[in-house]
Amino acid sequence: MGNVCSSGQKKKKDKDSSSEKSDDSPPYQESSADKKDALLDNDANEANEKRAPLADVEALPETMHSNDTNGNSQQQQQQQQQQQQTTQPKHNATEKDSNSTTPQGAPSDVGHASPGLGNLSMLQGKPPPGRKIERDKKIVIYILADNSTEYKKHKRVIYSLYKHFKSKCQSKGFDFIIADVHDSESLTKEGTATGTQTKQGQDGQGNGNPKKDFSRLQEVKRWTQTPLEAQGGHEEAANCLCEITRHATGAYIIPILFLGSTLGTPMLPLTIESQDFTSVLSAASDAEKLLLEKWYTIDNSYQPMCHRLFTQQIDTYANQVNGELNELLSVLLRLFSDDVKDSYLTTVVEQEINNTVLMSQELAKRCIWIQTGAQYSRAPDNASQLELEVLRRITRIYAELKNQLCEKNLIRLLPTMNILDDELSAVIESLLDKSLTGIFEEHHQKSIPYNTLGVDRVLLEELQLIGHYSKLLAQNSANFDIMNDVKRYIRDGTAHPLVVSGARGSGKSVLVSKIMENVHRWKPEAQLVLRYANLSARSSDLSSLLGSIANQMSVLETGQQCQVPHTLEAYAGVIREILGRQQRFFVLIIDGLDELQRDDALDWLPMQLGSCGKLILTVSDNEEDDAGSNAGADGESFDMLAALAQLGIPQRCFLRLRQFTERQWHDILSSGGGDFYAANGALKLPDDWKSLHGKTPYHAKSLWWLAWLGHVAQPISEIGDISSKILQVLETKFTADQVELLLLIVRLSPWGIRESDCLGVFQKITQLEAQVAFKIWSKFCWLMGPMLLSLKNIRIADRSFGRAILARYAQKQWLVHEALRDYFDRQDSEFKGSAGAKTYNYQKYLKLPYHHFCAVIEDKPAPHKIDILFNCFYFTDLQWIANKVHATGPEHLMHDILHAEWLAGISKESSGYVHINFLKHFLIRYLHELSYDGQQFYTLVKYYLKTRFKESSVLKDDEKIRSWWEYTNELEFAFLEILNNDLDANDNDHDNANDKQSTEDAATPIVKGYDVLTNLPQPGCYVASMSTERAEICIWDVKNCCRIRELQGIQQPTAMCPVGNYEAAVLCRREIRVINLDEGKFKVTLKGVMNQKMPYFGLHDQNHLVCLSRNRMYVNLMNLESGDCVTTFKAGEDRFLNSLLVSGDGRILRKLLYDLRIPHHDFVTSLSAITHEGSYVCVVAKELNEPTTPNFIVVYDLQSGTLFKKWKPSCNTVSLAISQLNACVIAGLEDAKILIWDLVTGNCKCTLVGHNAPVTYLKLDPLGKVLLSYDKEGRDSAIRMWELSTAKSLAVFKPPAQISTCEILPNGVFVVLALKERNDLLTLALKNYGGSTADALEDDCGGTLYGNPDNQHKVFNLSN
């Protein structure tokens, strides 16, 4: 066996020798110039050729999955018919080989040209660019094969790898499935038609026909009543092509092709164009003419006009029909020319090949071809017509495949080879591993970049989801008579909200998506803020939805997200404040307000919008059948329209989406659904249906769907019964239990369910084999057609249809909830990835405890059930709560609490359970911080517990609260603990404020905050702070969070260098003064004047200091006792110094001069660092001749004075540090990443990610073990701590205000933050890190006083 084909075929030049990706351009970086346009032209030319009917009509990826959640019809217009060819999935963009390695260790995805452009477009509410929907994190192994039993052994090898690859994909957050719609005759017959397949049938036994006969058509007894394109034996082909189309729109497909010497069961063409049919008749004998005219009847409604296979006359129990149809195939084989045969005669595997690897370069690149037989070069002497035709076609396919597929992906399994399963498994595993790695990298490059300029990813992900959902909705059509009224409202001066109402299914959501498409044409300066109710957890309740809106508006207005409590009132205040500024033109849209608002408390609604604000609300009519869904807390029906009218909104601001007129209804049912369904114009609806009342887009779509399923004879007397009729029809296609289970699994899952999870739950309930379950699921997805929506997960597209499902299958809802709960509960909570990295099982934390709550309450919230609900593991185990927040975000935990209260019928204000109220208030206070990064959970919850205990000591009496406190004291992993008593206090030192008031003019505002923090070297944990404008230096006891010395009257202190235990050299204007910090006295002023623009100096030893002279040509060595200049280093007559670096031990002084320069480059001396021993110095340099190119990093060996290393990342370096202990250089990049470069090998050791803005500040602790990083400009206001040796994230903390400066103590045991506009420092202790070293340092901090005890907390005035 060989992995690489040994034939003499050369690789196709350029195209096949390079790796290719899909033509979906990454939304956050410019797409590379490629052959896309030319390939699209070629595809368009191919589309004009004659093909098998299914090859043309099935490939409708964009329209096949575009459905309105409000229930909107596919009213197809002529322009949509012209788009049919372009909607086929074509992936043509090229890229470099994804398997190649990046030289010198720099990650290949480093850098995005303009990270803010894509984010800004989303924030402004502009529709996503392009026609395609961004792919989800989903990988599908699609098997292309005929129904030959010889492939079963090899397929088992692929299925044996399923668990391995599913685990690998799960660790990356990807869904993974194997799509195989092919199998033996008995399996297809029983497993997919009746759903009663047994394990015996799965193994292909018991059918009495172990070897398939591909010389005859499929027996007519297996021809089922299906959609037109699936009749005449084409059901499997239609199902397969639908499966390809379904996955091509939103998943990454890896085709595995089984192709030997056969093509599978032949099929009669469903349609023959009239011109070709006439040519065939002219060459046929009289008997053949009768046969042709019997089975092919003219279809004038099809364009172009054709003759269609008349399957309605077939008696499925008449055996003689089989012989007649096979004779018909022989006639067509004899009379058709080769070109016409290529257009009409086909098999399933040929259509799969044509619609995958021969259409898409991306799929061709990934395709694995398992050749399972010898290719015959000539036919046997006694070959039949069909055998000759198969040989001709298979020879052509082989030639095309060898030109298109990668030769290294060909696995040849000849009959003479004795291949072990383990050998085949190893080869397939290796090829799939490479494909998966390439897909992971490709998806990462197309995802939201790390550098979002400080905007939280959760907000951008929400906007991305809204954009994609709107794009799907916008492909629908509905009755938009009021669109001009909406346009007029946005353009005119109306200052009141606009309310759009209509019946359920009338197209309100589609209308909103159309507004999104057009609003920037109507008002180019508009900032659109759009939300769909219940689209995700962040729009599942009114507070979350308004919070999301307020955050988006705040980012657009101020560049920062709002930091207010998570309450309806707080968010409403932010929205009103921004609208009141009248600085930007905002258009706010909330679709489905009645889904969230359950009472008439509409105080949050901004009523006075001014001239720069518009608010559009969509509301469903309060219909009798679902009045309960709009019930208030007292169970009475709530009329949203009446409540809005009482607010004083003028009547002209109420618009209504009306039903279709008689003429519109007739037009839609005559031609409105043809292009959506593969039958095109051949699909006709009964005239009786056109007289039905209740003409909404949802009803029109449902009628078209029913007709497409082949049930035009269904009597429908009332349009409201259409949903139940459809469910009845679906039950006839499978078994009633299967339809019920599949529909409930999808419908009962909030925000949809992943395909692999749906299959897993269905298989567990039914106890079916995995392949059998998938075939049922595949057929279900095909026949569900427009009623399923794929948007990250599988969802029911229409709310009206979802309600019909719940009404019809109400009895089994709780059983399905239990099955979903048990399925996810059995899964691991974490997945192990590469290099031991762990990732949370996002789906488990997303689905639980929702299904557990529903299973417990069932249909009646009895008191004991409510008690079980609120005291369950999911609300009492702090580790689960922390993991859920970290995995899914705090919004999902809040949704769990609100959902539990709703199920129990408890008021949102107070549940009566202390721990539940505690959790709610905790989330309200810290939701924004936790949404940024859930790793802060234990930091914040421990601080919140401490503050709440001080407020109410009885809180400790609650058993669950007390257990949480004990748990936080027993944590074994690293986390930050807040030592301050009041995190939100601006200034607790009242005495200090009074003292300042006595020395300063009362009219002068007091400047708050600090400019510099410096570690002090004496025993204990102390830092010094400097405020230049207040002319003061303070000494702080870090562990006790208090100020112990205050030195005032120091003129403009800007820099400090500690000397000995209690002295410091301080730069005051242009002079360096030595000050005793303990006694608060000036000691000496160093002679000589500093350069004001470059005041560089450093400590040589305890008695000497080096500094840059005023004229920048000298470096002076100064005596700290006398203040005299001991000696001078001269740089040269024509050289001026622009930097000065002194090693940590003071032994090495290095001048960044021309002797270390690189020709045509300039040092960015503000970005430089030197090791503690002075062995190496690193600096950022920039090319002078190419100023637009990214800067790069150089490292010099100071022992030899030579260039040691040079690195050039793909984007600018904005901060730099060097560690002698770990022999590495740390670079903070413009794309929000931190790279760690190995000084020994020169390779990039690792990449640290987590920040969402450029990392402009890096600082190592004095021991060189822990790295502190943040953004000095405050776009990302959080600090992050990293362990350098393992690249492990130790802790994250987002302070309540922007950081002005910070300091880290040895081993990272303490971190001190100075916040803007605050005079108290914020102290954080890094717990459970460093072992005995950290314990010794912390003990030392508590046992050693600073200097003279008599000077504790004194204030010294040095102004005189």
Side-chain angles (χ1 to χ4, degrees):
M1 179 187 70
N3 179 13
V4 179
C5 176
S6 59
S7 65
Q9 295 289 337
K10 295 181 179 179
K11 290 186 177 181
K12 192 173 183 181
K13 292 183 179 179
D14 298 331
K15 183 169 68 176
D16 284 343
S17 61
S18 65
S19 164
E20 292 125 0
K21 288 186 180 178
S22 70
D23 62 350
D24 295 344
S25 298
Y28 303 102
Q29 64 185 76
E30 297 177 2
S31 58
S32 58
D34 51 34
K35 302 179 182 178
K36 180 176 179 180
D37 295 337
L39 291 169
L40 286 174
D41 291 340
N42 292 337
D43 290 331
N45 294 334
E46 291 176 6
N48 292 330
E49 297 176 0
K50 296 175 182 176
R51 286 185 180 177
L54 284 177
D56 282 335
V57 296
E58 265 301 302
L60 295 169
E62 294 199 335
T63 54
M64 200 62 178
H65 295 274
S66 57
N67 311 290
D68 174 23
T69 308
N70 253 3
N72 295 284
S73 169
Q74 285 288 341
Q75 180 192 1
Q76 301 296 335
Q77 307 297 329
Q78 188 66 27
Q79 60 184 10
Q80 290 174 299
Q81 296 177 0
Q82 297 172 359
Q83 296 173 358
Q84 181 179 357
Q85 301 301 332
T86 61
T87 56
Q88 297 184 3
K90 297 176 175 62
H91 313 281
N92 304 306
T94 60
E95 59 145 354
K96 67 179 183 180
D97 194 333
S98 61
N99 296 327
S100 64
T101 58
T102 304
Q104 204 61 17
S108 60
D109 58 342
V110 170
H112 288 82
S114 49
L117 294 182
N119 298 344
L120 180 61
S121 177
M122 278 196 295
L123 288 166
Q124 292 176 335
K126 294 180 179 178
R131 300 180 61 251
K132 288 184 175 292
I133 304 298
E134 288 299 320
R135 296 192 198 177
D136 302 326
K137 299 177 78 171
K138 177 180 175 182
I139 296 175
V140 178
I141 304 293
Y142 186 86
I143 295 178
L144 301 85
D146 57 49
N147 282 334
S148 175
T149 54
E150 64 176 306
Y151 301 139
K152 283 196 168 184
K153 174 184 177 182
H154 309 315
K155 286 182 182 180
R156 281 199 297 268
V157 173
I158 296 174
Y159 279 97
S160 69
L161 298 171
Y162 174 75
K163 287 186 178 180
H164 166 72
F165 285 114
K166 183 177 181 181
S167 175
K168 183 174 183 178
C169 289
Q170 284 177 329
S171 68
K172 297 287 186 178
F174 278 73
D175 194 12
F176 179 80
I177 63 171
I178 298 178
D180 179 14
V181 192
H182 314 281
D183 215 319
S184 65
E185 181 177 341
S186 62
L187 178 64
T188 307
K189 175 182 177 181
E190 296 179 18
T192 63
T194 67
T196 57
Q197 175 60 35
T198 62
K199 293 183 180 181
Q200 181 183 13
Q202 170 68 18
D203 296 332
Q205 305 298 322
N207 57 8
N209 186 18
K211 184 174 178 60
K212 293 285 292 182
D213 181 10
F214 293 138
S215 63
R216 296 177 61 81
L217 296 170
Q218 187 183 68
E219 294 184 6
V220 295
K221 65 181 179 180
R222 296 190 53 227
W223 292 14
T224 58
Q225 291 297 319
T226 55
L228 288 180
E229 71 270 19
Q231 295 181 6
H234 286 250
E235 180 177 2
E236 182 185 354
N239 195 354
C240 289
L241 294 183
C242 175
E243 191 72 12
I244 293 171
T245 299
R246 186 168 67 86
H247 294 309
T249 58
Y252 296 91
I253 299 178
I254 303 177
I256 297 183
L257 170 62
F258 290 90
L259 185 63
S261 56
T262 62
L263 291 176
T265 304
M267 296 184 295
L268 288 169
L270 281 177
T271 59
I272 303 175
E273 288 189 15
S274 296
Q275 180 180 355
D276 296 326
F277 189 77
T278 303
S279 300
V280 170
L281 284 180
S282 63
S285 65
D286 292 341
E288 290 170 342
K289 285 181 181 179
L290 290 174
L291 187 63
L292 288 167
E293 291 175 340
K294 174 182 178 181
W295 288 102
Y296 283 94
T297 59
I298 193 167
D299 185 351
N300 295 320
S301 60
Y302 195 87
Q303 295 298 326
M305 190 166 57
C306 69
H307 282 69
R308 181 175 296 276
L309 184 63
F310 188 48
T311 57
Q312 286 82 354
Q313 65 180 322
I314 296 177
D315 181 0
T316 55
Y317 300 100
N319 293 329
Q320 66 272 16
V321 174
N322 287 318
E324 193 171 321
L325 290 173
N326 280 285
E327 177 62 26
L328 177 62
L329 176 63
S330 300
V331 171
L332 294 178
L333 284 170
R334 186 178 66 81
L335 297 178
F336 279 165
S337 64
D338 287 348
D339 290 341
V340 178
K341 288 176 185 176
D342 291 338
S343 299
Y344 294 113
L345 298 180
T346 184
T347 60
V348 174
V349 70
E350 286 179 277
Q351 293 193 41
E352 290 181 314
I353 292 172
N354 286 333
N355 282 270
T356 53
V357 296
L358 297 185
M359 178 180 290
S360 165
Q361 292 184 24
E362 175 193 18
L363 299 185
K365 166 200 157 187
R366 297 195 191 117
C367 180
I368 299 173
W369 179 7
I370 301 177
Q371 184 181 343
T372 58
Q375 178 189 0
Y376 298 107
S377 56
R378 61 185 183 85
D381 296 337
N382 59 345
S384 64
Q385 272 188 326
L386 181 58
E387 289 173 336
L388 292 172
E389 172 61 16
V390 169
L391 177 60
R392 183 188 69 83
R393 296 217 303 269
I394 204 169
T395 302
R396 175 176 57 82
I397 290 174
Y398 264 71
E400 291 177 340
L401 290 176
K402 288 183 177 179
N403 282 332
Q404 295 291 331
L405 303 188
C406 296
E407 200 170 338
K408 61 184 178 182
N409 287 352
L410 171 60
I411 302 174
R412 179 174 293 175
L413 302 178
L414 299 180
T416 57
M417 294 179 177
N418 185 16
I419 305 301
L420 298 177
D421 286 352
D422 291 343
E423 295 176 339
L424 179 60
S425 176
V427 175
I428 295 177
E429 181 179 352
S430 174
L431 294 176
L432 288 177
D433 265 324
K434 292 178 181 178
S435 291
L436 261 60
T437 302
I439 289 172
F440 295 152
E441 179 184 350
E442 178 181 350
H443 186 84
H444 176 73
Q445 291 178 351
K446 293 179 179 180
S447 300
I448 299 173
Y450 292 112
N451 181 13
T452 61
L453 300 179
V455 182
D456 282 355
R457 292 180 66 89
V458 291
L459 175 60
L460 295 177
E461 288 170 355
E462 178 79 359
L463 297 178
Q464 192 178 61
L465 181 68
I466 291 168
H468 294 168
Y469 183 56
S470 296
K471 184 183 288 188
L472 290 174
L473 292 180
Q475 296 169 2
N476 293 267
S477 297
N479 185 12
F480 297 145
D481 292 340
I482 67 170
M483 185 63 82
N484 286 331
D485 296 325
V486 176
K487 178 180 178 181
R488 189 180 307 111
Y489 167 76
I490 291 176
R491 285 182 166 181
D492 66 19
T494 304
H496 294 280
L498 179 72
V499 180
V500 178
S501 62
R504 299 195 183 277
S506 59
K508 297 181 293 296
S509 295
V510 176
L511 174 68
V512 167
S513 70
K514 295 292 186 181
I515 295 174
M516 182 181 189
E517 280 191 339
N518 294 284
V519 68
H520 291 96
R521 299 190 192 120
W522 302 337
K523 200 82 170 177
E525 71 273 20
Q527 313 288 322
L528 176 64
V529 182
L530 165 64
R531 294 297 182 273
Y532 295 97
N534 286 320
L535 182 62
S536 69
R538 296 173 183 89
S539 58
S540 61
D541 66 274
L542 204 52
S543 296
S544 297
L545 184 139
L546 284 189
S548 180
I549 290 176
N551 276 329
Q552 184 179 349
M553 295 177 67
S554 182
V555 169
L556 289 168
E557 184 81 3
T558 66
Q560 300 287 335
Q561 294 177 205
C562 61
Q563 298 292 327
V564 297
H566 181 72
T567 62
L568 198 64
E569 296 76 15
Y571 291 135
V574 172
I575 294 172
R576 287 195 184 97
E577 179 185 355
I578 294 175
L579 289 175
R581 294 175 188 167
Q582 304 280 308
Q583 293 184 0
R584 283 175 173 77
F585 188 89
F586 284 101
V587 178
L588 312 182
I589 304 178
I590 302 178
D591 176 56
L593 176 61
D594 54 303
E595 297 285 329
L596 305 177
Q597 185 79 34
R598 303 299 184 187
D599 52 40
D600 57 359
L602 296 170
D603 299 339
W604 58 269
L605 201 63
M607 297 303 299
Q608 297 301 322
L609 303 173
S611 60
C612 291
K614 301 291 179 182
L615 174 60
I616 301 176
L617 308 172
T618 69
V619 178
S620 296
D621 292 341
N622 194 18
E623 301 171 5
E624 294 181 1
D625 57 343
D626 45 43
S629 64
N630 281 347
D634 55 0
E636 297 181 1
S637 178
F638 167 58
D639 190 344
M640 174 64 72
L641 287 174
L644 289 170
Q646 291 177 1
L647 295 177
I649 301 176
Q651 191 60 38
R652 58 187 172 82
C653 292
F654 284 86
L655 301 179
R656 179 171 174 76
L657 273 175
R658 303 187 182 280
Q659 296 182 359
F660 291 118
T661 64
E662 293 292 339
R663 181 174 179 179
Q664 289 173 329
W665 182 253
H666 185 276
D667 291 342
I668 286 174
L669 295 192
S670 297
S671 59
D675 202 39
F676 178 80
Y677 302 103
N680 293 315
L683 188 62
K684 294 298 179 184
L685 274 62
D687 292 335
D688 294 343
W689 291 4
K690 299 175 184 178
S691 61
L692 294 171
H693 296 285
K695 307 171 180 63
T696 66
Y698 168 70
H699 295 136
K701 182 171 77 170
S702 300
L703 292 175
W704 272 107
W705 183 34
L706 195 59
W708 174 72
L709 289 174
H711 291 262
V712 293
Q714 281 281 337
I716 301 177
S717 57
E718 176 60 42
I719 195 70
D721 298 335
I722 183 65
S723 297
S724 60
K725 292 287 185 185
I726 291 173
L727 293 174
Q728 292 175 15
V729 169
L730 283 175
E731 290 169 2
T732 65
K733 303 294 182 182
F734 307 87
T735 64
D737 288 345
Q738 290 171 356
V739 172
E740 181 179 15
L741 289 175
L742 288 172
L743 287 172
L744 284 176
I745 290 171
V746 177
R747 175 60 185 86
L748 294 178
S749 300
W751 318 300
I753 185 171
R754 292 198 314 181
E755 190 162 345
S756 63
D757 294 329
C758 182
L759 282 167
V761 176
F762 177 69
Q763 182 186 353
K764 189 68 179 177
I765 297 175
T766 59
Q767 295 298 308
L768 291 171
E769 292 287 335
Q771 290 173 269
V772 182
F774 178 80
K775 288 172 181 60
I776 297 172
W777 166 253
S778 175
K779 182 178 179 182
F780 173 79
C781 291
W782 167 43
L783 295 182
M784 280 290 290
M787 296 301 184
L788 281 184
L789 179 69
S790 181
L791 187 70
K792 293 190 178 296
N793 294 319
I794 303 293
R795 312 174 185 222
I796 299 296
D798 302 278
R799 295 189 185 114
S800 299
F801 188 57
R803 290 185 178 88
I805 293 171
L806 296 181
R808 185 174 179 86
Y809 305 122
Q811 294 182 348
K812 279 195 177 179
Q813 289 183 33
W814 320 118
L815 296 176
V816 173
H817 278 302
E818 287 181 357
L820 285 162
R821 176 197 62 190
D822 296 342
Y823 172 79
F824 287 106
D825 188 54
R826 285 192 299 267
Q827 293 183 358
D828 294 331
S829 297
E830 294 179 344
F831 301 123
K832 290 184 179 180
S834 57
K838 292 183 179 180
T839 56
Y840 287 106
N841 184 346
Y842 175 79
Q843 294 299 322
K844 176 174 181 176
Y845 287 104
L846 182 69
K847 301 299 182 183
L848 296 177
Y850 175 84
H851 294 295
H852 172 72
F853 292 167
C854 295
V856 167
I857 294 296
E858 295 182 348
D859 56 348
K860 187 176 181 181
H864 71 282
K865 293 181 179 179
I866 296 175
D867 194 58
I868 293 173
L869 190 71
F870 288 112
N871 291 305
C872 69
F873 163 84
Y874 302 107
F875 279 154
T876 57
D877 188 90
L878 196 63
Q879 183 177 358
W880 167 271
I881 295 171
N883 290 346
K884 169 137 188 156
V885 169
H886 202 176
T888 64
E891 297 87 351
H892 288 88
L893 179 59
M894 179 64 82
H895 177 265
D896 291 340
I897 296 173
L898 297 178
H899 181 69
E901 291 177 341
W902 180 81
L903 285 174
I906 294 176
S907 169
K908 294 182 180 180
E909 298 299 325
S910 177
S911 66
Y913 293 87
V914 176
H915 64 291
I916 298 296
N917 292 329
F918 178 91
L919 271 181
K920 281 181 66 177
H921 294 146
F922 170 69
L923 292 176
I924 288 172
R925 174 62 188 85
Y926 294 112
L927 186 130
H928 297 288
E929 289 82 356
L930 294 171
S931 183
Y932 170 81
D933 195 320
Q935 194 175 346
Q936 303 175 85
F937 179 83
Y938 287 111
T939 299
L940 296 173
V941 79
K942 184 165 187 176
Y943 173 77
Y944 191 66
L945 281 165
K946 288 194 299 184
T947 56
R948 289 294 303 275
F949 288 160
K950 291 178 181 179
E951 295 172 3
S952 175
S953 58
V954 297
L955 196 63
K956 282 188 177 181
D957 296 338
D958 185 83
E959 180 183 355
K960 299 171 186 62
I961 301 292
R962 189 169 62 251
S963 69
W964 291 351
W965 172 251
E966 293 170 355
Y967 184 79
T968 59
N969 291 325
E970 297 172 357
L971 296 174
E972 297 180 354
F973 49 83
F975 76 101
L976 286 171
E977 181 178 348
I978 301 170
L979 299 184
N980 299 65
N981 291 328
D982 192 349
L983 183 62
D984 299 317
N986 288 334
D987 190 1
N988 289 334
D989 198 341
H990 301 291
D991 296 335
N992 181 42
N994 294 333
D995 291 339
K996 286 184 181 181
Q997 192 65 33
S998 65
T999 59
E1000 296 182 358
D1001 186 0
T1004 303
I1006 299 176
V1007 178
K1008 294 186 177 182
Y1010 298 97
D1011 303 299
V1012 178
L1013 290 178
T1014 304
N1015 256 324
L1016 297 179
Q1018 71 287 331
C1021 297
Y1022 300 97
V1023 297
S1025 66
M1026 285 195 304
S1027 174
T1028 303
E1029 293 192 43
R1030 290 203 308 274
E1032 73 171 24
I1033 296 177
C1034 298
I1035 311 302
W1036 298 81
D1037 182 343
V1038 173
K1039 187 174 183 179
N1040 295 310
C1041 305
C1042 64
R1043 185 187 291 111
I1044 57 174
R1045 303 285 192 283
E1046 185 172 348
L1047 284 68
Q1048 299 177 355
I1050 303 172
Q1051 296 182 358
Q1052 294 185 1
T1054 55
M1056 174 190 292
C1057 182
V1059 179
N1061 284 338
Y1062 302 110
E1063 294 180 352
V1066 181
L1067 177 64
C1068 304
R1069 293 185 177 176
R1070 296 187 181 183
E1071 297 180 331
I1072 296 180
R1073 297 182 177 182
V1074 179
I1075 301 175
N1076 188 310
L1077 301 177
D1078 179 29
E1079 301 294 337
K1081 298 178 180 179
F1082 279 121
K1083 179 179 179 182
V1084 68
T1085 299
L1086 303 188
K1087 298 176 181 179
V1089 182
M1090 295 283 293
N1091 185 292
Q1092 190 171 15
K1093 293 184 178 180
M1094 298 182 182
Y1096 304 135
F1097 66 98
L1099 192 67
H1100 170 59
D1101 57 32
Q1102 297 302 313
N1103 298 314
H1104 296 88
L1105 175 145
V1106 291
C1107 60
L1108 186 63
S1109 67
R1110 182 177 182 182
N1111 63 10
R1112 293 173 51 210
M1113 294 181 66
Y1114 301 91
V1115 176
N1116 300 328
L1117 179 64
M1118 310 295 296
N1119 188 299
L1120 294 174
E1121 295 294 329
S1122 64
D1124 297 331
C1125 179
V1126 177
T1127 186
T1128 298
F1129 304 94
K1130 188 174 183 181
E1133 297 298 334
D1134 58 346
R1135 296 185 179 184
F1136 293 92
L1137 302 177
N1138 57 10
S1139 180
L1140 182 67
L1141 294 177
V1142 181
S1143 63
D1145 58 8
R1147 296 179 57 194
I1148 302 295
L1149 162 70
R1150 195 66 202 180
K1151 312 174 293 292
L1152 294 181
L1153 296 168
Y1154 291 105
D1155 56 348
L1156 294 186
R1157 287 181 181 267
I1158 306 173
H1160 309 296
H1161 293 79
D1162 191 17
F1163 287 132
V1164 183
T1165 53
S1166 60
L1167 300 175
S1168 57
I1170 189 170
T1171 57
H1172 181 79
E1173 295 84 355
S1175 303
Y1176 298 97
V1177 64
C1178 58
V1179 63
V1180 172
K1182 191 168 183 62
E1183 297 183 22
L1184 296 176
N1185 296 335
E1186 300 180 13
T1188 59
T1189 60
N1191 56 34
F1192 58 94
I1193 305 168
V1194 291
V1195 180
Y1196 288 97
D1197 184 347
L1198 298 187
Q1199 305 298 326
S1200 62
T1202 58
L1203 179 66
F1204 184 63
K1205 298 291 181 185
K1206 179 179 178 181
W1207 299 299
K1208 193 167 186 178
S1210 299
C1211 65
N1212 284 327
T1213 298
V1214 293
S1215 57
L1216 201 63
I1218 190 169
S1219 170
Q1220 181 79 20
L1221 177 66
N1222 291 282
C1224 64
V1225 172
I1226 308 106
L1229 301 186
E1230 201 172 35
D1231 65 355
K1233 296 177 185 175
I1234 301 172
L1235 299 187
I1236 300 180
W1237 303 89
D1238 194 317
L1239 271 176
V1240 178
T1241 65
N1243 295 328
C1244 181
K1245 293 171 62 175
C1246 55
T1247 302
L1248 309 180
V1249 295
H1251 285 288
N1252 58 20
V1255 186
T1256 56
Y1257 185 91
L1258 297 173
K1259 189 172 185 64
L1260 292 167
D1261 80 287
L1263 300 181
K1265 296 180 179 180
V1266 180
L1267 173 69
L1268 177 70
S1269 62
Y1270 76 96
D1271 174 30
K1272 290 188 293 186
E1273 298 182 25
R1275 294 160 296 189
D1276 181 354
S1277 60
I1279 64 164
R1280 292 181 177 270
M1281 299 178 70
W1282 316 84
E1283 184 178 48
L1284 270 186
S1285 59
T1286 61
K1288 175 185 176 183
S1289 174
L1290 295 175
V1292 184
F1293 181 70
K1294 187 179 176 111
Q1298 184 178 340
I1299 300 171
S1300 58
T1301 184
C1302 69
E1303 184 61 283
I1304 181 171
L1305 274 65
N1307 213 56
V1309 63
F1310 292 108
V1311 175
V1312 184
L1313 305 180
L1315 305 182
K1316 287 192 175 181
E1317 300 300 321
R1318 302 198 180 193
N1319 280 348
D1320 275 345
L1321 300 182
L1322 178 59
T1323 304
L1324 308 170
L1326 182 61
K1327 297 295 185 179
N1328 305 326
Y1329 177 74
S1332 58
T1333 304
D1335 294 339
L1337 286 169
E1338 191 167 352
D1339 294 339
D1340 186 43
C1341 291
T1344 305
L1345 288 177
Y1346 184 84
N1348 186 350
D1350 296 335
N1351 291 334
Q1352 291 292 95
H1353 306 292
K1354 280 190 176 182
V1355 178
F1356 301 97
N1357 193 324
L1358 281 70
S1359 58
N1360 296 323

